[in-house]
Amino acid sequence: MTTADATSPLSTWAPLRSPIFRALWIAQLVSNLGTWMQTVGAQWILVDGPNAAALVAFVQTAITLPVMLLSIPSGVIADLVDRRRLLLGAQSTMAVLATALAVSTATGHTTPAVLLTLLFLLGCGQALTAPAWQAIQPELVVREQIPAVAALGSMNINIGRAVGPAIAGVLVSVSGPTLVFALNAVSFGGIVAVLLFWRRPAMDRTLPSERPLAALQAGTRFIRAAPAIRRVLLRSVLFIAPASALWALLPVVARDELGLSSSGYGLMLGALGIGAVLGALSLARIRAAFTPTQRLTAAAVLFGVATAGAALLHSAPLVLVLLIGAGLAWLMAMATLNSTMQLLLPAWVRARGLSVYLLVFMGGQAIGSLVWGLVAGALGPVSALLIAAGLLACSALSSVWLPIRHNAEELDLTPSAFWPEPQVVVEPDPEDGPILVLRTYEVPAETAEEFLAAMAFVGRSRQRTGAMEWRLYRDLGALDRYVEAFVVRSWAEHMHQHQVRLTAQDQLREREVLRFTVGEEKTTHLVAVEPYRPPGRGH
């Protein structure tokens, strides 16, 4: 069996063997087409009015601004509630809003203010669903297929981006924008229908749900204590920020440098979409041959060459060929970054982690597009694209010093409640805290060095799973005794740490520590109390 065999876990098409994933992927493709058609229709309404240039630009702002504002809160919500119900509610609401836009346009009531308001609300719905949508993917396929899921997701988006505007251009020219708005409203129906059909296993909750603010803080601590995830976010910025120049300035290149019409610009978008499809088709072989860091390096080089070519070449066919390579590079980079994030995140914090990734991704594109537009206005589009190509070369070169984890697929992040239940004689309230946990280890002198090295990984595990502070101490009153101390915000959060957040990988790290100790470690739980101050007493 080859790595590209459709039945292989490494095949790009393997996830489509899951009926629910296949149905959701098709429904998402239809919805993506509808979203891009809606964007073209909205721009068409505004293009002939007063202040057209500013209002057309505001269309993209109205769609992307909610992602910047709501991505992180949406990730928190998606980790606290049933993701299927969240998606159902959001998609149904978006269908109603899209229907309102179609009806308003058909009756002649779609003013710029009405249009931008409805687009902003639709953008809020998209921001609310994005982390939950990403987070449910590992529930639909086996872990080995997550890279293929990321490739299919990127291909889905790029097909929508390439084909949707072309379809909308034809429909708008024939019947006006009302039809594309109506088709977008209908496109949400497919996702709603599949979500209604999907019987997601019920969540077994023996503990009270986290409070939103505490959940946000827990997600922040997790990312702060996860160097591998921070590295993925950094690599995302290093690629997306310069790569956004080509997306932002492509219309200018088509019109001013190549002399193409709007249909020619559509061909350029189509070339990027074709490249993305080719990238998805070949990704299984590419993954088998290259590490994630090597794939990101190749993507930066290939996208940089296309960016430089778009600046320097005046032959439309040559630029189209380079754009096919750029589409392949874009998909390879997005699939690598997205799948690595998915593989590094345990289930309890997956949506929160992915919301940060989506914020970096969308924010990098939005801010990058704005910056490159300003650079192009000051220096010209050719200079802007050449600067971006140079930065992509630097991004490729930085892989030598800033690689990403190459074996994320091998991590076992299955939940593992392996800690023994705390022995307490007084049952604390869930919100009692902070909680101080002390663990005592007896470590022979000859294994102390290995013990300290292993405890560095355990310390990060404690911080990822809930510890606000963590320290390792040596007991001055005993020859070979070390005391680990960490503080958790509340008893409820410590119980989440016990029963929900620990993984098999954390268990592996603790077993490594125990190799260098003798006897059994002793664990003590302390809860903070307020000193009693009699009434009327001063300091």
Side-chain angles (χ1 to χ4, degrees):
M1 183 184 296
T2 67
T3 57
D5 191 319
T7 63
S8 167
L10 294 178
S11 167
T12 300
W13 309 110
L16 295 176
R17 298 178 66 205
S18 163
I20 291 296
F21 179 85
R22 181 172 63 248
L24 281 174
W25 189 85
I26 294 171
Q28 184 193 24
L29 177 60
V30 174
S31 183
N32 280 334
L33 290 170
T35 298
W36 282 99
M37 289 165 61
Q38 171 189 265
T39 300
V40 172
Q43 292 172 333
W44 184 266
I45 286 179
L46 299 173
V47 74
D48 291 326
N51 303 315
L55 289 174
V56 169
F58 287 161
V59 169
Q60 200 62 35
T61 302
I63 295 171
T64 58
L65 183 61
V67 177
M68 305 287 289
L69 298 176
L70 301 177
S71 179
I72 302 299
S74 298
V76 173
I77 293 171
D79 274 334
L80 298 185
V81 304
D82 185 287
R83 291 167 185 161
R84 172 181 168 273
R85 293 182 179 179
L86 174 63
L87 289 170
L88 267 173
Q91 293 290 324
S92 300
T93 302
M94 292 168 71
V96 171
L97 291 170
T99 301
L101 178 57
V103 172
S104 174
T105 305
T107 56
H109 293 91
T110 304
T111 63
V114 170
L115 176 63
L116 293 175
T117 298
L118 287 172
L119 289 179
F120 180 80
L121 292 175
L122 283 162
C124 291
Q126 188 63 39
L128 186 62
T129 60
W133 185 269
Q134 291 278 335
I136 66 170
Q137 306 302 313
E139 300 179 32
L140 306 176
V141 300
V142 296
R143 183 174 175 82
E144 291 77 9
Q145 293 176 356
I146 288 178
V149 167
L152 287 169
S154 297
M155 183 173 73
N156 197 313
I157 293 170
N158 280 281
I159 291 174
R161 175 183 281 172
V163 178
I167 296 174
V170 173
L171 294 179
V172 168
S173 65
V174 171
S175 60
T178 300
L179 179 58
V180 297
F181 292 155
L183 290 175
N184 182 50
V186 173
S187 73
F188 291 107
I191 294 179
V192 171
V194 177
L195 289 171
L196 286 171
F197 177 77
W198 177 32
R199 291 294 177 260
R200 184 175 185 243
M203 300 175 66
D204 184 18
R205 290 189 180 274
T206 58
L207 294 171
S209 296
E210 298 177 79
R211 294 187 176 183
L213 181 58
L216 175 61
Q217 293 169 339
T220 303
R221 282 195 299 270
F222 182 93
I223 292 175
R224 194 167 59 233
I229 289 178
R230 296 202 311 272
R231 180 63 56 82
V232 173
L233 296 175
L234 176 59
R235 297 270 6 140
S236 299
V237 172
L238 292 176
F239 178 80
I240 292 168
S244 63
L246 183 61
W247 291 105
L249 300 178
L250 200 59
V252 179
V253 171
R255 185 190 63 192
D256 297 345
E257 304 300 326
L258 300 178
L260 299 177
S261 63
S262 58
S263 60
Y265 173 57
L267 282 176
M268 297 175 82
L269 289 176
L272 285 162
I274 291 171
V277 173
L278 292 176
L281 292 173
S282 58
L283 189 62
R285 294 185 178 88
I286 294 172
R287 287 180 55 242
F290 302 102
T291 67
T293 299
Q294 290 170 339
R295 296 199 295 270
L296 289 178
T297 302
V301 170
L302 193 55
F303 207 93
V305 169
T307 301
L312 299 175
L313 298 178
H314 299 284
S315 168
L318 288 178
V319 172
L320 288 173
V321 171
L322 289 176
L323 289 177
I324 291 175
L328 187 152
W330 182 264
L331 180 131
M332 186 161 57
M334 294 304 100
T336 300
L337 293 166
N338 186 288
S339 64
T340 304
M341 280 292 293
Q342 293 267 17
L343 292 166
L344 291 173
L345 289 165
W348 71 270
V349 75
R350 185 177 295 134
R352 277 166 278 187
L354 288 170
S355 71
V356 176
Y357 169 74
L358 291 169
L359 178 62
V360 169
F361 175 71
M362 297 297 293
Q365 278 196 293
I367 297 173
S369 297
L370 174 62
V371 170
W372 291 117
L374 295 173
V375 172
L379 304 177
V382 171
S383 296
L385 288 171
L386 290 176
I387 293 171
L391 291 176
L392 283 164
C394 293
S395 174
L397 187 61
S398 70
S399 297
V400 176
W401 299 280
L402 299 171
I404 63 173
R405 185 160 189 155
H406 67 278
N407 63 340
E409 296 175 29
E410 300 173 8
L411 298 176
D412 186 356
L413 301 183
T414 306
S416 178
F418 61 91
W419 283 357
E421 285 298 306
Q423 299 299 312
V424 297
V425 295
V426 177
E427 189 64 33
D429 291 331
E431 291 307 310
D432 281 353
I435 303 298
L436 172 63
V437 183
L438 302 176
R439 282 196 172 180
T440 303
Y441 304 90
E442 302 294 335
V443 185
E446 58 270 20
T447 61
E449 187 174 339
E450 293 90 341
F451 168 80
L452 293 174
M455 284 300 293
F457 293 100
V458 169
R460 284 204 289 267
S461 168
R462 304 286 191 251
Q463 292 170 308
R464 284 195 298 269
T465 56
M468 299 187 296
E469 300 175 30
W470 179 88
R471 299 285 291 188
L472 182 64
Y473 298 89
R474 185 170 184 178
D475 189 343
L476 298 180
L479 186 60
D480 296 325
R481 183 173 298 156
Y482 291 82
V483 179
E484 174 193 8
F486 61 93
V487 178
V488 184
R489 184 187 65 85
S490 67
W491 185 252
E493 181 148 11
H494 186 50
M495 287 299 95
H496 276 276
Q497 196 175 22
H498 264 266
Q499 301 178 25
V500 177
R501 298 178 181 177
L502 292 171
T503 67
Q505 190 68 24
D506 298 312
Q507 186 175 17
L508 185 65
R509 293 298 189 188
E510 293 204 25
R511 284 177 179 170
E512 182 70 13
V513 166
L514 296 181
R515 289 178 54 208
F516 310 114
T517 66
V518 295
E520 291 188 6
E521 76 274 15
K522 178 184 176 183
T523 303
T524 304
H525 295 81
L526 307 175
V527 60
V529 294
E530 289 293 331
Y532 173 69
R533 294 187 178 89
R537 294 285 183 89
H539 296 289

